Every structure is written in structure tokens, then in C-alpha cells.
Amino acid sequence: MTMNSAENQLSGQLQYEAEPDWLTMLRKRGLDAVSTLQLPKLEKTNLQRWPLQQQGIYRKPEPVMSLDELPESIRKWVYSDNVLVQRNSGPLIKCLSKGLQKQGIILTDLETAARQYPELVKPYFMQAVQTDENLLTAQHAAHWSGGAFIYIPEGVHVETPLQTLFFVDESDTLFMPHVLVVAEKRSSVTLVENTMSSLDKSVAVNQAVMEVFVGEGATVNVVSLHQLERDVIDLTYRRAIVEQDGSVNWLNGEMNWGKSMSDTAAKGLVRI
């Protein structure tokens, strides 16, 4: 993707989604950083040899009203009634029970959350993963789309797992979901994140980021399962920031057929 085409794509996407100014500025900082940063250097793999030049076109699906309306190719991967499904570049359906909503739990796409809950999103977004870490994180900051925002209020324990499902089935598609989880003090939740493809030998790139913020004494369990086809490149960063007496438990299943890079880490945070 050339710089001019990237700028045009970024401008069109922001205009279409009517994002808040703070998020527009963050995207622009990512776009500016793209020309100054390099790909990350891995121990045994040279990413320069991977076909990462083209990030794809922003393709937002037509939403459906119920899980029964999902195509069977997607429906078979839905395990929970409390689920967000993204198809290609945008959300397809969001389901959260009224009981969980009454407890103040939020499960929605990140684009919507940035507009409706800026006080919950802005302090955390692109903080566990920094925009200027490398070329991949800068590209992600500039071009991410859809994604998911999960918020668990203080003292709330979610007994049933929540699910996010990211599914790409169109070639030449921008596929950069960003998952942001915020669990307040003494809360707990289990998130099952699935990333799947059905592209029939078409080349695609998944540039995904998951950020998890675990409050004091809180517990977040993340089950992340990726099952992408041979011609799909998977580049995924998972990072957690954990406060005192909190815990994050990762269970990652990288069941891809093609090229994959996975970076999962957590660090503690003590507030003084």
C-alpha cells in the first residue's frame, strides 16, 4: 500500500465512521509513524520475506438482527449467546443478555465504544501496545477497524464466557480487529476470542491487537483460538497490564496453516 492510498483510505474511513477527534489524531500519529519505523526483528524469522505490502480495502458488512441469520460458515463457530461477530472489516452482530447489561457489562464493537464510552476507552486504547513500537503497531493504530470492547464493572463476576468472533471471507480485505478488555477492581470474566477465515486460497493479512487491563484483585481468562488458512498471514499482539493482586490467564491456540507471528505478554502495575 502506498502512502497516498493509505492516506486516502484513512480519510475515507474516518469520515464514514464519524470518529471522535482524539481517535482521529491517534490514527494520524500511527500513519505518520509508518514511514519512520521498521518491521519487528524476530529471532528465527525474517518478516521482510513475507508479502505484507497490501493491507486491503475496508469492507463493512450489512448487520444481521439475530444469530439465526448468520451464514452457516460463521454460525458454526458461535458458542455463546453473548457474542460479537465481525465479518471482514466491521461488526456483523452484537448480542449481550439483558441480565448482563443490567450489571453494567459492555460488549460492543470498539468503533461504537469509542463514540459512546470515550471515558472508558481513551485511557486504555493503544496503551498496552504502543503505536511506535514498530511498523506493524503503527499500521494497526492507523488502520484498525471493528474490533471489540469488553468492560466489566467493579465487583462484577461474569459466570458465563463472552465470545468475540472475527471472520474474513473476502479477498483484498482490511482485517485489523482490535480487542480492548477492561476489568475493574475485584471483577472476573472469561473471554473466548476466535479468528477464522474462508478465502479459498486468496492472500490476506490479519494484523490484530488485544489489550487486557486487569484491575486490582480482578481476574481475566482469555482463550484465543486462531484457525486461518494457508494463504492468510497472522500477525497478533496480545498484551495485558495487571494491577496488584490481579491475574490474567492466557490459553492461546495458534492453529493456523500459514505464516504466523504471535506476541503475548503481561506486566504488573502497582498504583501509588
Side-chain angles (χ1 to χ4, degrees):
M1 177 179 290
T2 66
M3 187 58 65
N4 287 337
S5 65
E7 289 173 348
N8 292 336
Q9 178 181 322
L10 178 59
S11 175
Q13 180 175 333
L14 294 179
Q15 182 178 7
Y16 181 75
E17 296 299 337
E19 291 182 332
D21 290 344
W22 66 266
L23 189 51
T24 301
M25 294 305 298
L26 194 151
R27 286 193 188 274
K28 289 181 177 178
R29 287 199 298 272
L31 190 65
D32 290 341
V34 165
S35 61
T36 66
L37 297 172
Q38 301 295 320
L39 289 168
K41 295 181 180 180
L42 307 183
E43 184 177 351
K44 297 181 179 180
T45 302
N46 184 359
L47 293 181
Q48 296 282 356
R49 299 175 180 175
W50 293 12
L52 303 176
Q53 294 81 9
Q54 188 164 352
Q55 295 165 324
I57 299 169
Y58 181 73
R59 301 182 189 276
K60 188 172 183 178
E62 287 295 327
V64 299
M65 300 304 295
S66 72
L67 295 177
D68 292 337
E69 297 179 41
L70 292 173
E72 178 56 29
S73 59
I74 299 176
R75 181 71 180 89
K76 65 182 181 181
W77 299 111
V78 175
Y79 308 123
S80 172
D81 293 332
N82 299 295
V83 61
L84 177 144
V85 180
Q86 173 172 327
R87 186 176 191 178
N88 298 313
S89 306
L92 189 59
I93 190 170
K94 298 169 282 187
C95 301
L96 186 66
S97 71
K98 291 183 178 179
L100 295 183
Q101 292 180 46
K102 289 180 179 178
Q103 295 181 71
I105 297 166
I106 299 172
L107 172 61
T108 189
D109 65 280
L110 188 53
E111 292 175 0
T112 296
R115 295 192 297 270
Q116 295 185 355
Y117 312 105
E119 73 284 0
L120 299 178
V121 175
K122 187 177 179 180
Y124 301 102
F125 181 68
M126 293 302 296
Q127 296 300 308
V129 174
Q130 299 293 315
T131 298
D132 60 358
E133 284 188 33
N134 56 59
L135 177 59
L136 297 180
T137 60
Q139 288 175 335
H140 181 92
H143 299 292
W144 70 271
S145 63
F149 177 64
I150 296 96
Y151 176 77
I152 313 299
E154 181 176 341
V156 173
H157 298 276
V158 186
E159 302 298 334
T160 182
L162 308 180
Q163 184 186 10
T164 58
L165 171 59
F166 303 104
F167 192 86
V168 58
D169 61 359
E170 287 191 69
S171 62
D172 190 26
T173 293
L174 180 71
F175 193 54
M176 291 193 187
H178 189 112
V179 177
L180 176 59
V181 181
V182 178
E184 299 283 12
K185 294 180 180 180
R186 300 181 299 280
S187 67
S188 65
V189 66
T190 295
L191 172 66
V192 179
E193 179 263 321
N194 298 95
T195 299
M196 309 289 180
S197 68
S198 178
L199 285 167
D200 192 24
K201 298 183 180 180
S202 296
V203 176
V205 180
N206 174 41
Q207 284 186 237
V209 167
M210 176 184 290
E211 298 183 288
V212 180
F213 292 85
V214 184
E216 183 177 336
T219 300
V220 177
N221 304 306
V222 178
V223 181
S224 182
L225 304 174
H226 288 202
Q227 191 168 338
L228 297 167
E229 294 156 299
R230 188 175 303 278
D231 295 307
V232 182
I233 297 173
D234 189 7
L235 307 167
T236 298
Y237 284 92
R238 303 179 186 90
R239 299 277 178 78
I241 295 180
V242 184
E243 295 193 35
Q244 187 171 352
D245 297 324
S247 64
V248 60
N249 301 301
W250 304 101
L251 178 59
N252 298 331
E254 310 288 356
M255 298 177 288
N256 301 313
W257 287 91
K259 296 179 174 66
S260 299
M261 183 209 75
S262 176
D263 183 327
T264 302
K267 69 177 181 179
L269 174 64
V270 178
R271 296 188 183 275
I272 301 176

